[in-house]
């Protein structure tokens, strides 16, 4: 195994295929926009189907447009699945999602060539959608595969141009007749993805073996003070909503810095009202995003955070309304699959580290029902969801090698 894997020269092939896939939805100014059920998406999926067929895989779509390429095994009732999402954000990069599909097809090609028929099916999936960029719905592809998608979820939603979800799906050649049942044959899911952060690059490591996907809480905070004349209201008489907010933000971020990794906290959006140069702000609205790999840690941090904010609101004599609108638990990866991948990386002489994912992925939809793990490769400067997204071809190749090793263990061993 090691001899074969080490000898494979996958850098040009993988990078070349990513450039090829990036042509579908390529923006004139650089970057890729391949949103669910658009013309670019349809053309990309059909081109991938042809590629799968040309490598000797059995290719088929499911009813919503997830595309599968199967290397058939002796036992047709068990399947090891790999792959990722084919959709991008608007003006995104060529690697997010796409890399997992390209890596999967190339891995299956070499497994077939060097090891022949596996014990169970090994399958690559090009999932219809993950990003939620066209319609207000995320993980459409993976939720259909595991049986979490419901027709009523999408029946009334529309894109920014007012096109109904179902109409877009029908125009792309697909239809969602029944609530997805969920596949019963899946024995494991391994997703390969670009890190979208800078940990691997900073630590000079080719591969991240993901053992956990962070949980997150998101809040919207509304601070109400009193709008007033900027010239005639002495400092001591003010109820300045923006000043109170900035005090809170300072405290929240300082607290998070003290706690340190893997806790991360972000205030990424703030609006002040009336937002006029010579008026004391009467209202401010901002968001908070808190992430950690441990649920308890999220709960305890956010409790302290809210207490502190309440104290600050009192001090500034402003009203505070805090709304928790997202509360997702961390998702641990399957320990057995993670260890198997670690062993495989060691056996094949690959440079890896265990790490968590700070971003959400299709794997979090699979993990509660299918033994799941993820592999990361470095992202240049941690840049993602951006035309400048880039991974060195040599790192892309290392990720494919790690995937080949993992799929061999999962698909060829009794
Ligand atoms: Zn992605």
């Amino acid at each position: 195994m090691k001899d074969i894997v080490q000898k494979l020269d996958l850098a040009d092939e993988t990078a070349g295929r990513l450039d090829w896939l990036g042509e579908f939805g390529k923006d004139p100014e650089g970057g890729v926009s391949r949103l669910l059920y658009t013309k670019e998406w349809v053309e990309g999926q059909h081109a991938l189907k042809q590629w799968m067929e040309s490598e000797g895989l059995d290719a088929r779509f499911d009813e919503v447009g997830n595309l599968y390429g199967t290397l058939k095994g002796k036992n047709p009732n068990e399947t090891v699945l790999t792959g990722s999402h084919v959709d991008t954000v608007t003006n995104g990069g060529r690697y997010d999602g796409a890399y997992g599909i390209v890596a999967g097809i190339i891995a299956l090609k070499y497994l077939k060539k060097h090891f022949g028929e596996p014990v169970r099916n090994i399958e690559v999936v090009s999932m219809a959608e993950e990003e939620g960029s066209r319609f207000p719905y995320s993980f459409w592809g993976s939720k259909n595969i595991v049986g979490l998608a419901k027709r009523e979820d999408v029946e009334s939603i529309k894109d920014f141009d007012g096109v109904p979800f179902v109409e877009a799906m029908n125009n792309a050649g697909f239809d969602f007749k029944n609530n997805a049942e969920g596949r019963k044959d899946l024995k494991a899911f391994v997703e390969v993805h670009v890190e979208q952060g800078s940990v691997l690059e900073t630590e000079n490591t080719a591969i991240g073996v993901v053992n956990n996907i962070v949980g997150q809480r998101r809040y919207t905070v509304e601070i109400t003070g009193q709008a007033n004349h900027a010239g005639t209201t002495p400092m001591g008489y003010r109820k300045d909503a923006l000043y109170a907010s900035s005090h809170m933000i300072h405290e929240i971020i300082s607290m998070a810095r003290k706690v340190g990794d893997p806790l991360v906290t972000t205030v990424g959006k703030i609006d002040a009202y009336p937002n006029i140069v010579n008026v004391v702000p009467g209202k401010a609205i901002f968001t908070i995003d808190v992430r950690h790999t441990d649920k308890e840690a999220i709960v305890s941090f956010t409790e302290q955070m809210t207490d502190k904010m309440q104290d600050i609101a009192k001090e500034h004599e402003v009203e505070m309304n805090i709304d928790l609108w997202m509360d997702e638990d961390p998702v641990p990866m399957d320990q057995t699959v993670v260890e198997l991948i670690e062993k495989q990386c060691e056996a094949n002489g690959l440079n890896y580290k265990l790490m968590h994912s700070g971003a959400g992925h299709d794997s979090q939809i699979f993990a509660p029902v299918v033994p799941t793990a993820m592999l990361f490769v470095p992202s240049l400067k941690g840049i993602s969801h951006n035309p400048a997204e880039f991974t060195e071809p040599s790192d892309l190749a290392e990720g494919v090698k790690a995937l080949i090793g993992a799929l061999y263990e999962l698909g060829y061993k009794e």
Side-chain angles (χ1 to χ4, degrees), residues 122-248:
I122 309 179
E123 198 164 86
V124 54
V125 59
S126 171
M127 277 180 276
E129 192 273 346
E130 185 259 1
E131 302 281 5
S133 288
R134 180 173 179 192
F135 297 95
Y137 190 97
S138 309
F139 301 111
W140 173 241
S142 48
K143 282 186 173 174
N144 269 282
I145 297 171
V146 301
L148 281 174
K150 294 192 184 64
R151 191 173 168 98
E152 69 207 43
D153 294 342
V154 294
E155 257 172 345
S156 59
I157 60 175
K158 292 177 179 164
D159 71 4
F160 291 113
D161 299 324
V163 179
F165 188 100
V166 176
E167 187 184 312
M169 176 166 55
N170 293 160
N171 288 343
F174 300 102
D175 197 4
F176 187 47
K177 296 180 197 75
N178 303 302
N179 288 344
E181 287 261 324
R183 289 179 58 169
K184 304 283 181 277
D185 60 322
L186 299 181
K187 293 295 149 199
F189 176 62
V190 181
E191 181 177 16
V192 188
H193 205 280
V194 287
E195 182 198 342
Q196 305 178 287
S198 54
V199 173
L200 291 173
E201 183 186 47
T202 310
E203 300 189 9
N204 220 338
T205 304
I207 293 161
V209 179
V210 177
N211 53 12
N212 208 326
I213 297 178
V214 291
Q216 45 184 307
R217 282 189 169 181
R218 289 188 193 169
Y219 299 86
T220 298
V221 185
E222 186 174 321
I223 303 297
T224 311
Q226 199 167 50
N228 229 325
H229 196 291
T232 59
T233 319
M235 296 311 281
Y237 295 178
R238 297 181 179 204
K239 291 177 182 172
D240 184 334
L242 188 57
Y243 180 45
S245 300
S246 66
H247 188 176
M248 289 177 189

Side-chain angles (χ1 to χ4, degrees), residues 32-36 41 84-99 127-142 160 165 191 193-194 196 218 326 359-362 365 384-386 389:
V32 186
S33 300
R34 196 168 50 235
L35 307 190
L36 178 65
W41 180 98
S84 194
H85 58 97
V86 76
D87 71 316
T88 66
V89 296
T90 301
N91 202 221
R94 283 175 297 139
Y95 299 80
D96 179 4
Y99 174 52
M127 277 180 276
E129 192 273 346
E130 185 259 1
E131 302 281 5
S133 288
R134 180 173 179 192
F135 297 95
Y137 190 97
S138 309
F139 301 111
W140 173 241
S142 48
F160 291 113
F165 188 100
E191 181 177 16
H193 205 280
V194 287
Q196 305 178 287
R218 289 188 193 169
M326 183 202 275
H361 294 290
D362 287 306
I365 304 298
S384 187
H385 286 184
N386 184 308
E389 199 176 71

Side-chain angles (χ1 to χ4, degrees), residues 64-368:
V64 299
N66 288 312
L67 168 67
Y68 302 93
T70 312
L71 174 57
K72 282 201 171 146
K74 289 187 194 80
N75 179 352
N77 303 317
E78 292 187 349
T79 302
V80 174
L81 188 67
T82 187
S84 194
H85 58 97
V86 76
D87 71 316
T88 66
V89 296
T90 301
N91 202 221
R94 283 175 297 139
Y95 299 80
D96 179 4
Y99 174 52
I101 301 163
V102 166
I105 299 174
I106 293 177
L108 263 59
K109 168 183 168 178
Y110 285 100
L111 285 166
K112 180 170 180 278
K113 182 175 167 194
H114 292 281
F115 304 102
E117 185 187 40
V119 168
R120 48 193 70 82
N121 300 327
I122 309 179
E123 198 164 86
V124 54
V125 59
S126 171
M127 277 180 276
E129 192 273 346
E130 185 259 1
E131 302 281 5
S133 288
R134 180 173 179 192
F135 297 95
Y137 190 97
S138 309
F139 301 111
W140 173 241
S142 48
K143 282 186 173 174
N144 269 282
I145 297 171
V146 301
L148 281 174
K150 294 192 184 64
R151 191 173 168 98
E152 69 207 43
D153 294 342
V154 294
E155 257 172 345
S156 59
I157 60 175
K158 292 177 179 164
D159 71 4
F160 291 113
D161 299 324
V163 179
F165 188 100
V166 176
E167 187 184 312
M169 176 166 55
N170 293 160
N171 288 343
F174 300 102
D175 197 4
F176 187 47
K177 296 180 197 75
N178 303 302
N179 288 344
E181 287 261 324
R183 289 179 58 169
K184 304 283 181 277
D185 60 322
L186 299 181
K187 293 295 149 199
F189 176 62
V190 181
E191 181 177 16
V192 188
H193 205 280
V194 287
E195 182 198 342
Q196 305 178 287
S198 54
V199 173
L200 291 173
E201 183 186 47
T202 310
E203 300 189 9
N204 220 338
T205 304
I207 293 161
V209 179
V210 177
N211 53 12
N212 208 326
I213 297 178
V214 291
Q216 45 184 307
R217 282 189 169 181
R218 289 188 193 169
Y219 299 86
T220 298
V221 185
E222 186 174 321
I223 303 297
T224 311
Q226 199 167 50
N228 229 325
H229 196 291
T232 59
T233 319
M235 296 311 281
Y237 295 178
R238 297 181 179 204
K239 291 177 182 172
D240 184 334
L242 188 57
Y243 180 45
S245 300
S246 66
H247 188 176
M248 289 177 189
I249 295 164
H250 176 80
E251 284 298 326
I252 296 165
I253 304 297
S254 303
M255 281 168 60
R257 289 174 67 107
K258 253 178 232 151
V259 175
D261 291 339
L263 179 87
V264 286
T265 300
T266 306
V267 175
K269 185 176 193 302
I270 184 161
D271 294 299
Y273 301 89
N275 210 16
I276 291 170
V277 64
N278 56 355
V279 179
V280 176
K283 187 185 286 213
I285 299 176
F286 60 95
T287 57
I288 311 173
D289 173 310
V290 179
R291 306 183 192 205
H292 197 291
T293 51
D294 177 41
K295 175 78 180 174
E296 296 291 305
I298 296 175
V299 171
S300 117
F301 178 80
T302 51
E303 277 173 7
Q304 286 177 47
M305 176 186 93
T306 340
D307 286 352
K308 187 76 198 172
M309 288 164 69
Q310 258 145 9
D311 291 347
I312 295 170
K314 255 187 218 144
E315 187 188 326
H316 289 263
E317 298 179 55
V318 292
E319 295 290 317
M320 178 176 87
N321 181 27
I322 178 161
D323 176 33
L324 170 66
W325 53 270
M326 183 202 275
D327 187 5
E328 285 180 358
D329 288 349
V331 183
M333 298 292 99
D334 183 85
Q335 213 39 48
T336 311
V337 183
V338 168
E339 278 168 25
L340 177 148
I341 292 177
E342 279 187 277
K343 269 194 202 139
Q344 202 46 45
C345 286
E346 269 158 35
N348 289 317
L350 304 175
N351 173 16
Y352 79 95
K353 71 166 279 171
L354 271 179
M355 64 187 294
H356 70 267
S357 171
H361 294 290
D362 287 306
S363 287
Q364 75 199 50
I365 304 298
F366 284 92

